[in-house]
Amino acid sequence: MRAKGEASTLYILFLAFVWFFFNVGASVYIKDYLVFHPLPTLVTLAQAAVGTICGILTLGVKAIYWPKDKKSRQLILLNAFSHCYATLLTNASTFYVAVSFTHTVKASDPLFTAIVSRYVLQARENMLTYFSILVTVVGITLASLTEFNFDTMGLIYALVSTFLFSVRTVYSKKTMVDLRMKDSDLFLVISLLTMIFSGISAIFMGLFYPEEYYNALFGKPEWLLLFKVGFCHYLYNVTSYMLLTQVAAITHSVLQGLKRLVIIFFAIAYFGNPVSTLNMIASCVAIFGAGLYGWSKRPGNPVTKKVERSDSNTELV
C-alpha cells in the first residue's frame, strides 16, 4: 500500500511538472504572438483548433460525446463556455499588461475555487486550509511586484477570466463524476465547442478590425508561432485534466497558484526584468503556504478529521 501511495505521488508530481512546463511555454508564445498581431480572439481560436485536431488524432472521432438529456448537455456547455471565455480574457489581459501582472491577479484562483466548490460541490474546508490558501495567494502576489504594470482593462480581464477558470475547474470535476467521462474525452468536447464559440467571436471581431485580421491571416502571418501557442495550450490542458482526476478541485487550484509563480519568474527572466530580494522572499512565502495547505489536508490532521466527520461526502477527491 505504501509503494502504491508513493507511485501515485510521483505520478501527480510528474503531471504537475509537465503542466507547469507547457504552461510557461504557452504564456511566452502568446505574448510574443500578440506583439506581432494584437488579436486575442484569433489566438483563442488557434488554441481550440489545435486542441480539437490533436484530440481527434489521439482519441478518434468516436470520443466526441454529446449526451442525450438536457441537463447533461447544459453541464458540458457551461464547461465549454467558461473555458472559452476564460482563455479569451486571459489572452486579452496578456495583451494589455505584462505576463507577470496577469498571473498575479490570477493567483486569486484558489479563493474563487473555494467559494464555487462550497456552493456547487458542497465542499467544506477547515480554517487552516483557507488560511494556507490566503498565504499562498499573498506570496504569489508579492512575487510579481517588481514588474507591476497596472492597466484597468488588463486587471478587469484577468479577474473575470480567473473567476471563469474557477467555474470550469469545479464543473469539470462535477462533469467527470456525474457523467462518468474521461478527462481526455471531456477536454476534446470542450475544445470542439470552444473552437465554435471562439470562431463566431473571431468573425464578429473581424467585422470591426478587418485590416488587422487580414494582415494576420494573409499579410504577415506567424503560423508557426500560432501553432506553438496551440500545441502548448493543448498539452498543458490535457495534463491539467489528468491532474484534476487525481486531486481535489481546491488542491488543483493551489497547484495552479504555484504554477503561476513559476510562470512569473520565467517571464521576468525571459523578458529581461530584474529580480529583487522581494521576489525571493515572496516565493518562500508561497511555498510555505502550499506546504501548510498540504499539511492541513493530510488524513491525520485532527482539524481535517473534524470537518470530514461533520460532512464526509462534501469533497470529491
Side-chain angles (χ1 to χ4, degrees):
M1 292 294 293
R2 184 177 179 182
K4 184 178 180 180
E6 291 177 351
S8 177
T9 301
L10 288 174
Y11 179 63
I12 291 173
L13 290 175
F14 171 74
L15 289 178
F17 172 78
V18 175
W19 186 32
F20 285 25
F21 180 82
F22 284 105
N23 205 329
V24 168
S27 298
V28 171
Y29 289 141
I30 289 170
K31 188 68 174 181
D32 286 343
Y33 183 84
L34 291 174
V35 170
F36 291 106
H37 303 292
L39 301 171
T41 308
L42 187 60
V43 172
T44 307
L45 176 58
Q47 290 170 322
V50 173
T52 302
I53 293 171
C54 289
I56 291 176
L57 290 176
T58 55
L59 302 173
V61 180
K62 293 183 178 180
I64 300 176
Y65 172 72
W66 188 245
K68 296 181 179 180
D69 61 295
K70 183 178 179 181
K71 187 176 180 180
S72 297
R73 290 198 298 267
Q74 289 176 340
L75 194 58
I76 291 179
L77 283 172
L78 179 60
N79 272 275
F81 180 86
S82 57
H83 175 82
C84 175
Y85 291 100
T87 303
L88 175 57
L89 292 174
T90 298
N91 294 335
S93 176
T94 302
F95 167 68
Y96 279 100
V97 296
V99 173
S100 60
F101 180 72
T102 298
H103 286 278
T104 296
V105 179
K106 290 172 72 64
S108 59
D109 180 76
L111 295 180
F112 281 110
T113 302
I115 294 170
V116 177
S117 294
R118 182 69 184 91
Y119 289 98
V120 176
L121 302 180
Q122 299 300 308
R124 299 178 63 189
E125 304 293 340
N126 59 69
M127 291 305 297
L128 182 59
T129 299
Y130 287 119
F131 175 73
S132 67
I133 294 172
L134 180 61
V135 172
T136 304
V137 170
V138 170
I140 296 172
T141 301
L142 290 174
S144 61
L145 287 180
T146 54
E147 199 186 354
F148 192 84
N149 182 22
F150 182 78
D151 183 277
T152 303
M153 293 306 297
L155 174 63
I156 294 173
Y157 288 152
L159 282 172
V160 177
S161 71
T162 302
F163 171 73
L164 289 175
F165 270 128
S166 298
V167 172
R168 186 208 66 174
T169 297
V170 173
Y171 275 98
S172 292
K173 189 79 174 180
K174 181 177 176 60
T175 302
M176 286 186 286
V177 173
D178 290 358
L179 305 187
R180 297 182 179 180
M181 289 186 69
K182 294 181 179 179
D183 50 280
S184 54
D185 294 347
L186 177 60
F187 183 63
L188 174 58
V189 175
I190 287 177
S191 295
L192 180 59
L193 291 173
T194 298
M195 184 174 66
I196 296 172
F197 292 155
S198 58
I200 295 172
S201 299
I203 293 172
F204 178 76
M205 294 302 295
L207 298 176
F208 293 92
Y209 305 99
E211 185 177 343
E212 287 82 354
Y213 274 85
Y214 180 85
N215 188 45
L217 295 173
F218 306 106
K220 297 180 180 179
E222 293 287 339
W223 294 115
L224 180 59
L225 186 56
L226 204 57
F227 174 77
K228 289 179 180 178
V229 169
F231 189 66
C232 287
H233 181 265
Y234 167 74
L235 288 178
Y236 89 69
N237 270 285
V238 167
T239 52
S240 175
Y241 277 93
M242 292 173 68
L243 192 60
L244 191 57
T245 62
Q246 303 295 317
V247 299
I250 198 166
T251 305
H252 185 274
S253 184
V254 170
L255 286 173
Q256 185 133 254
L258 290 176
K259 178 199 67 179
R260 299 197 194 290
L261 180 63
V262 174
I263 294 173
I264 288 168
F265 273 119
F266 188 87
I268 290 174
Y270 180 82
F271 294 108
N273 301 93
V275 179
S276 67
T277 305
L278 178 62
N279 287 104
M280 301 304 296
I281 296 175
S283 64
C284 293
V285 172
I287 293 172
F288 172 75
L292 186 62
Y293 171 82
W295 185 86
S296 72
K297 296 288 289 180
R298 68 188 178 93
N301 185 1
V303 182
T304 304
K305 286 184 176 181
K306 184 178 179 180
V307 174
E308 288 175 348
R309 283 197 298 268
S310 64
D311 190 352
S312 59
N313 296 317
T314 55
E315 183 180 38
L316 297 171
V317 178

